[in-house]
Amino acid sequence: MVQLTLHSASVSDEGHGAAELSESPGADGTATRSRHGEADFPRHLVHRSDAEDVFPTGWTPQTDTQFSVSARWPHEHRFFAPVSGRYQDPLLIAETMRQTTMLLGHAAFGVPVGDQFVMWELVYVSEPDQLLLGEAPWDITVDVSCSRIRRRGRSIGSMHVELLLHRLGTVLARGGGRISCTSARVYDRLRGDRQYVIGASIPLLPAVAPAEVGRTDERDVVLAPGPRRDVWQLRLDTGHPTLFARPNDHVPGILLLEAARQAAVAVTPGHDFLPASVKTDFLRYVELDHPCWIEARTVPAGDRATTGVHVSAIQDGEPVFTCTLGSPSSRPDKRQNDQS
């Protein structure tokens, strides 16, 4: 179970956290790091090839296990688009958490580039009213605390991370996750018989109507019609510039999160669902060339102000991914429309 409280996090002015990965001697002789511009940030440290998809802009160590990471969210993005034209896409939280964890794994804990990260759990709870779009730049700070670190030589084998995302002194979200790291050699041994799918032609299934899953562009739809209501087949476009930013031998985790979001939108009356909270378990690799079925059902959310949806991914008869999402039943944009 991932804890949501970040014991070391402090909400403070944004100026303390911006850093780059180049080092220079500070006044006391220790190494300091100064901010990168987004275009210059080493994209390989967050496993992204396109600068548009890179959200961290720098990092600063606070202790051996606590860090401050600066990040910038776009007002508009080709995939993480504003929700209802008014909210930052909450899945930016998950993607920022993912990139932040990989950045620190490589830069702070010595995980060699080329090793594989596996995210076993990911959870966040956001403050939806703080995700409303405005004119100010979306420069945010992520306070990170790493614990239960298991070393593997000079690298790490696994660890837990807790993260607090804040902006202009206000908390946006709290979250956490559990990762493990596998060396390139071990990964090749584990997945050697699956390497042939890298670059292979994966049939592109027909898409459900974009409006049913909260999308405007069919290319961003990751669900295909299924055999019955509230069941879909996972739809994979391996040429998608964000979801498949680099060749892969399995389905990327962010695509599974998007499938969960789209399924939640589809089963919600009015197709109005904002993934303000997410709790996800990645149970095993999801293969590209085997059918994967996405099932969704509404669930009690614990309070009347939240709509809950549970999503499961089933492949070869076994669960491979589960996700429970929560959306506020009443949002500022809804209340304004009701009063107009």
Side-chain angles (χ1 to χ4, degrees):
M1 181 67 68
V2 178
Q3 299 177 359
L4 290 178
T5 53
L6 185 64
H7 305 295
S8 63
S10 59
V11 180
S12 57
D13 182 77
E14 291 289 330
H16 80 282
E20 69 170 39
L21 295 174
S22 58
E23 297 184 353
S24 58
D28 59 358
T30 61
T32 61
R33 298 174 175 88
S34 59
R35 181 172 181 149
H36 262 300
E38 295 105 349
D40 299 325
F41 193 82
R43 304 168 201 170
H44 65 281
L45 295 179
V46 295
H47 298 194
R48 288 297 191 184
S49 58
D50 191 330
E52 182 179 348
D53 295 331
V54 176
F55 302 131
T57 57
W59 68 286
T60 301
Q62 306 296 330
T63 70
D64 288 344
T65 59
Q66 297 171 318
F67 306 89
S68 177
V69 175
S70 57
R72 172 166 288 183
W73 286 355
H75 272 88
E76 295 185 5
H77 187 270
R78 64 187 174 206
F79 181 74
F80 297 104
V83 178
S84 302
R86 303 203 42 159
Y87 290 88
Q88 284 281 20
D89 183 353
L91 287 195
L92 279 168
I93 298 167
E95 179 62 11
T96 301
M97 290 169 60
R98 188 190 73 86
Q99 292 188 19
T100 293
T101 301
M102 290 191 297
L103 164 63
L104 295 176
H106 288 309
F109 290 100
V111 176
V113 173
D115 282 12
Q116 297 289 326
F117 290 87
V118 178
M119 178 71 77
W120 294 97
E121 302 166 3
L122 185 146
V123 59
Y124 70 75
V125 177
S126 70
E127 302 292 337
D129 290 358
Q130 302 305 322
L131 299 178
L132 285 166
L133 289 169
E135 296 301 322
W138 276 80
D139 290 316
I140 68 173
T141 297
V142 186
D143 291 335
V144 186
S145 178
C146 305
S147 64
R148 287 173 273 183
I149 301 169
R150 184 173 62 83
R151 299 283 179 178
R152 177 172 55 82
R154 295 183 177 180
S155 182
I156 58 172
S158 62
M159 69 177 179
H160 287 68
V161 291
E162 296 180 72
L163 306 96
L164 180 76
L165 288 74
H166 55 95
R167 172 178 178 259
L168 302 176
T170 301
V171 172
L172 300 176
R174 296 174 173 83
R178 176 171 65 93
I179 67 160
S180 62
C181 300
T182 304
S183 70
R185 187 186 336 182
V186 171
Y187 184 82
D188 287 343
R189 188 165 66 244
L190 290 172
R191 300 285 295 167
D193 63 341
R194 303 300 305 167
Q195 297 295 304
Y196 72 89
V197 301
I198 297 178
S201 177
I202 304 298
L204 182 61
L205 300 174
V208 302
E212 293 182 11
V213 293
R215 284 292 177 178
T216 58
D217 189 338
E218 183 178 290
R219 192 175 188 188
D220 294 330
V221 175
V222 299
L223 299 181
R228 62 184 187 275
R229 183 180 178 184
D230 300 346
V231 177
W232 306 266
Q233 188 170 351
L234 191 63
R235 179 178 187 263
L236 303 176
D237 177 1
T238 54
H240 194 285
T242 297
L243 295 177
F244 283 91
R246 60 182 188 140
N248 214 327
D249 66 1
H250 60 273
V251 177
I254 192 63
L255 192 152
L256 294 171
L257 281 169
E258 177 62 21
R261 183 246 291 276
Q262 292 187 17
V265 172
V267 300
T268 301
H271 305 310
D272 186 13
F273 190 95
L274 183 77
S277 65
V278 162
K279 184 184 186 311
T280 296
D281 290 298
F282 299 93
L283 304 176
R284 64 180 177 88
Y285 290 115
V286 181
E287 306 299 350
L288 293 168
D289 57 345
H290 295 195
C292 181
W293 303 99
I294 305 297
E295 304 177 356
R297 57 184 172 86
T298 58
V299 295
D303 64 84
R304 299 177 64 181
T306 302
T307 300
V309 176
H310 181 76
V311 177
S312 298
I314 309 296
Q315 190 170 70
D316 298 328
E318 298 290 336
V320 291
F321 165 83
T322 64
C323 185
T324 301
L325 308 91
S327 174
S329 300
S330 178
R331 306 200 303 258
D333 55 332
K334 288 185 181 180
R335 293 193 292 267
Q336 290 173 8
N337 290 338
D338 291 343
Q339 294 168 5
S340 61

